[in-house]
Amino acid sequence: MSSATATAPVSRVRTLHPGWFASVMGTSVLAVITAGNPLDTSGLQPVWDTLAVAFLVIATALALGFGALYLLRWTQHRDAAMADLRNPIPGPLIGTVPGGLLVLSAAFSAAGPLVLPDVLATGIATALLIIGAPLALVVGVAWAAEVVEAAPLGLEKVTGTWFLPPVIAVLVPLAAAPLVPSWPSPHLWLWLGYAFAGAGLFLFAIVAVLVVARLALKGPPPPPLAPAVWIALGPPGAGGVALIRLAEVTEATGIGDGAALRAVTVALASGMLGFAFWWLAFALLVLRRQLARGPVPYTPAWWAWTFPLGAMTALTLVLGEAWDSTAIGVVGIVLLVATLAVWGVVAGRTVAAMRSGTAWERHG
């Protein structure tokens, strides 16, 4: 074996892209959506269940594989990992690790019981939440502190990757909501869920202003970072679903006026979905103009096209049920088909890039 061949795996671990766990997020969210039997189409229940289990298995395999690589990188190449954390552009992508664990937790709550005993599926979901929630807080705060330490920064350093800390914050209540009713002192956990949701949504509002300012004053990001603009669909999508689920748990546990809270939450989540549709149209226009200037090279950032769109899809379907509107539900199905198609394209390109070795190249 040549020395170059022997050192290749080591080099790949050292330069491992921090955003690979976005693949876990983008796959897990489809397990959650399909396990929910979209539009309550009983005749398609076996199809949805099969898809949910398939996405759960793939997401679990991705989490185990990339989890081992990340653990190896942080233990044996800590200097390289810390260099990424201190970088204002790829640094937020480290948040895909807790983000992936949290969405996978929600996937085990939703799809796990289809193939596992309920107690085992719930146990795995709980373990993933216990690991993912503190990690989400630590990673988000640590990266923000590094940004302040590196100040002053130019607007060109602000990219869509900055939406990751808000995303992972709102994923905590999304993962916790199905588990809280079985826990002692549910009112305490509900309070923590709303606290994380508030942190994520307020951070999202701040980051959105910065990203729009960057796009207006400095132009679009470099082609490899083009998909990151789409991450903005994640906080309103996942955050809206999380708020509705928390309100449902509040109503079910009899804490406060759950029915009134749910009504207000549905109205708020509807407004958040409106913003998501606005941003979707905006992101499509930005992408079209970027493609007119040249192709977007494949990087793990391509997975930023999957989870955010999936989160928006999930909120649309949930609101279709909340408003008892078939029209909204149909829009959700259209978005689901689009998300499945995007996932297929990105997964196909990922497999091809891994076979050719280009998946391990860093583009900044």
Side-chain angles (χ1 to χ4, degrees), residues 31-33 35-36 52 105-114 178:
V32 175
I33 295 171
S105 171
F108 268 99
S109 291
L114 296 174

Side-chain angles (χ1 to χ4, degrees), residues 23-39 45 47-60 99-114 125 128 171 173-178 237-238 241-242 245 248 306-307 310-315 317-318 321 336 339-340 343:
S23 62
V24 180
M25 298 176 67
T27 306
S28 297
V29 72
L30 283 170
V32 175
I33 295 171
T34 51
N37 188 18
L39 276 187
Q45 183 72 55
V47 176
W48 295 128
D49 288 352
T50 300
L51 284 173
V53 171
F55 285 124
L56 179 64
V57 170
I58 296 171
T60 302
L101 296 177
L102 291 167
V103 187
L104 187 58
S105 171
F108 268 99
S109 291
L114 296 174
L128 290 169
L171 289 176
L174 184 68
V241 175
R245 295 309 184 211
E248 290 174 347
T306 58
F307 171 77
M312 179 182 175
T313 299
L315 179 57
L317 290 168
V318 168
E321 295 177 1
L336 175 56
T339 305
L340 289 168
W343 185 91

Side-chain angles (χ1 to χ4, degrees), residues 44-319:
L44 293 176
Q45 183 72 55
V47 176
W48 295 128
D49 288 352
T50 300
L51 284 173
V53 171
F55 285 124
L56 179 64
V57 170
I58 296 171
T60 302
L62 289 169
L64 291 173
F66 286 119
L69 290 176
Y70 277 123
L71 186 61
L72 192 61
R73 188 176 191 234
W74 276 93
T75 54
Q76 296 191 5
H77 305 283
R78 184 176 175 81
D79 60 325
M82 286 300 299
D84 277 339
L85 181 64
R86 295 187 178 108
N87 191 316
I89 297 177
L93 295 175
I94 297 173
T96 61
V97 177
L101 296 177
L102 291 167
V103 187
L104 187 58
S105 171
F108 268 99
S109 291
L114 296 174
V115 288
L116 298 171
D118 286 355
V119 64
L120 180 56
T122 300
I124 295 173
T126 302
L128 290 169
L129 174 62
I130 290 173
I131 297 170
L135 194 57
L137 184 61
V138 169
V139 169
V141 173
W143 174 78
E146 292 294 342
V147 168
V148 173
E149 182 68 21
L153 299 174
L155 268 179
E156 66 277 359
K157 297 294 185 181
V158 179
T159 70
T161 62
W162 286 36
F163 286 119
L164 252 300
V167 169
I168 60 177
V170 299
L171 289 176
V172 173
L174 184 68
L179 302 172
V180 166
S182 63
W183 292 351
S185 302
H187 56 284
L188 172 62
W189 303 112
L190 281 169
W191 176 83
L192 284 173
Y194 279 111
F196 269 100
L201 292 173
F202 279 113
L203 284 171
F204 170 65
I206 295 170
V207 172
V209 172
L210 292 173
V211 172
V212 171
R214 180 255 155 80
L215 292 172
L217 300 176
K218 297 294 183 179
L225 290 171
V229 175
W230 291 63
I231 301 176
L233 297 175
V241 175
L243 289 175
I244 290 175
R245 295 309 184 211
L246 287 174
E248 290 174 347
V249 173
T250 300
E251 184 176 9
T253 52
I255 300 174
D257 191 346
L261 175 62
R262 188 172 184 275
V264 172
T265 299
V266 168
L268 175 61
S270 298
M272 294 164 66
L273 181 62
F275 173 84
F277 272 107
W278 187 95
W279 193 274
L280 176 62
F282 173 67
L284 283 169
L285 287 175
V286 172
L287 178 61
R288 182 177 66 83
R289 292 177 181 177
Q290 285 185 313
L291 290 174
R293 290 190 290 268
V296 176
Y298 173 82
T299 72
W302 274 40
W303 286 98
W305 281 320
T306 58
F307 171 77
L309 188 58
M312 179 182 175
T313 299
L315 179 57
T316 306
L317 290 168
V318 168
L319 286 173

